[in-house]
Amino acid sequence: MWIVKLALRRPYTFAVMAIAILIAGFASFRQTPKDIFPEIDIPVISVIWTYNGLSAEEFERQITVYSEFSLSANVNDLERIESQTLNGVGIIKLYFHPGAQVERGLAQATATSQAILRRMPPVCSRLPFCDTLLTRCRSSK
């Protein structure tokens, strides 16, 4: 109740304080950075294997599991590996520790995939993608 009595005794003080709060709010709103596509640095590489005609179970048993083991043993700075197998397609995502050199990881993943390509069925193909490059293309800078 005391603040109401103070506001009634000193109306100009409260009006000036309200205007100062409004000006400070607008000034902070203008200085806040806004970006539709902020810069995101997620160190991820995706390796995609394709083989038409194999079911998801066979594809996982023959290609995805072996590729996961080979990549986890030969690529440095891995945090975790995720894989998804569909009919004729296997997607393996390699997540790196923050600050890791993704270019080195991409080179190691490519070399490992080329080495195990000989063990794969004859028409199997590999497509390496670096998600950080796609992320940089989506960023505004």
Side-chain angles (χ1 to χ4, degrees):
M1 197 69 177
W2 63 273
I3 197 161
V4 175
K5 289 180 184 178
L6 181 65
L8 290 174
R9 276 187 292 165
R10 298 179 185 253
Y12 294 116
T13 304
F14 277 86
V16 169
M17 285 178 53
I19 291 172
I21 290 172
L22 277 172
I23 291 172
F26 283 121
S28 66
F29 177 74
R30 290 182 51 94
Q31 292 178 355
T32 303
K34 296 172 259 333
D35 194 358
I36 294 174
F37 297 114
E39 187 172 337
I40 302 170
D41 189 19
I42 303 172
V44 176
I45 294 175
S46 297
V47 179
I48 301 173
W49 290 96
T50 60
Y51 187 93
N52 293 331
L54 277 181
S55 67
E57 294 82 19
E58 287 182 56
F59 195 96
E60 182 177 7
R61 194 171 357 112
Q62 291 182 7
I63 297 171
T64 306
V65 173
Y66 184 73
S67 181
E68 279 182 7
F69 287 138
S70 299
L71 289 168
S72 65
N74 294 312
V75 178
N76 296 333
D77 295 329
L78 282 179
E79 184 177 336
R80 71 179 193 274
I81 297 177
E82 291 180 4
S83 66
Q84 182 179 10
T85 306
L86 306 169
N87 288 335
V89 177
I91 303 167
I92 302 168
K93 290 188 177 182
L94 307 172
Y95 291 89
F96 292 91
H97 291 287
Q101 294 179 351
V102 180
E103 292 80 14
R104 183 182 348 151
L106 182 62
Q108 290 171 343
T110 302
T112 302
S113 298
Q114 289 294 334
I116 64 174
L117 191 59
R118 294 186 189 107
R119 182 205 169 272
M120 299 297 175
V123 292
C124 190
S125 63
R126 174 207 43 87
L127 303 169
F129 289 104
C130 183
D131 287 347
T132 56
L133 295 176
L134 296 175
T135 302
R136 289 183 186 142
C137 291
R138 289 191 302 253
S139 70
S140 65
K141 294 183 180 180

